[in-house]
Amino acid sequence: MGNIPKTRLGILGSGKGSNMAAIAEACRSGQFPMEIALVLSDIEDSGILARARERGLPARFIAPGRFRTKLDEEAERQYVQTLQTARVDLVVLAGFMRILKGEFLRAFPQRVVNIHPSLLPSFPGLESWRQALDYGVKVTGCTVHLADPGIDTGPILAQQTVPVLDDDTPATLHERIQQAERVLYPATLAALAQGNIRIEGRRTFRIAPPQG
Ligand code: GRF
C-alpha cells in the first residue's frame, strides 16, 4: 500500500451503522488505500455514531434543520463545510435518510456514493426488500451507485444478486441483502480508492490492476 495516498472517506448515516462497521474493518485491514476521516449523522443517538466512537473514529451529529426528508440550507452548508474541513475525498452514504441535492452534490462532483438494497433500477425508494417480496421477484440484491439529484438514479458502480427464498419474511430477506452489502460496499470503495473504476456518463468500467 506504501506510496498510494489514502482516500479519505466521510461516511453519512442515520441508522445502525453496519455498513460503516464493515468499511471500518476494510480500512483497518490495511489492504486498501482508504481511511475513514469522519462519520456524520442527522440522528444524535444513532447506532452509526455510537459504533464509530467505539472504534475511536471522529463522529459528529449535525442537526438536519426544519425539513423531514432533506437538509435545510444551513444544515447543508454545515455538512459540506465539515466534510471539506476534514479533507474528505469521497462521501459515502450508508443509510443516510435524507435526499442530498444541489449545493451538496456540486461540492463533491461524482464523489458521493450510495448503497441501495435492491438491484436498481428495480425498487428505488424505501423498504426495497419489502417491495421485492411483494412483487414476487426470485432474485434481488444490492447496488452501489454514484448519487445524483434523483432518488437512487445515479450511475451504477457495482451490484450483487441475492436470492429470494420461499420462506423469506421482510426481515430475513433484508438481513441477507445486508450481508451482501457488507461485502460489496467496502470492495467497491476500495476499487474507487485504487483508481480501478472509470466513469463515462452512465456507464462505469473496471480497470484491470497492473500485472506483476
Ligand atoms: C442499508 O441497508 C442500505 O442499503 C440502506 O440503508 C441501510 C443502512 O444500514 N441505504 P446500516 O445503518 O449500514 O446498518
Side-chain angles (χ1 to χ4, degrees), residues 84-166:
Q84 286 173 337
T85 304
R87 293 178 290 110
V88 159
D89 302 303
L90 205 56
V91 177
V92 177
L93 306 179
F96 192 61
M97 296 306 285
R98 286 169 194 273
I99 301 157
L100 297 171
K101 295 212 176 227
E103 270 310 290
F104 192 102
L105 297 177
R106 275 193 292 278
F108 301 98
Q110 294 211 320
R111 305 305 282 170
V112 183
V113 186
N114 185 39
I115 187 149
H116 183 78
S118 75
L119 294 176
L120 290 170
S122 290
F123 313 129
L126 296 176
E127 299 205 333
S128 308
W129 57 91
R130 199 183 293 276
Q131 295 185 49
L133 264 187
D134 290 349
Y135 196 94
V137 293
K138 300 296 183 195
V139 177
T140 183
C142 50
T143 302
V144 179
H145 65 94
L146 292 178
D148 73 1
I151 296 180
D152 306 319
T153 51
I156 290 172
L157 300 173
Q159 294 187 299
Q160 175 62 52
T161 56
V162 171
V164 179
L165 306 182
D166 288 349

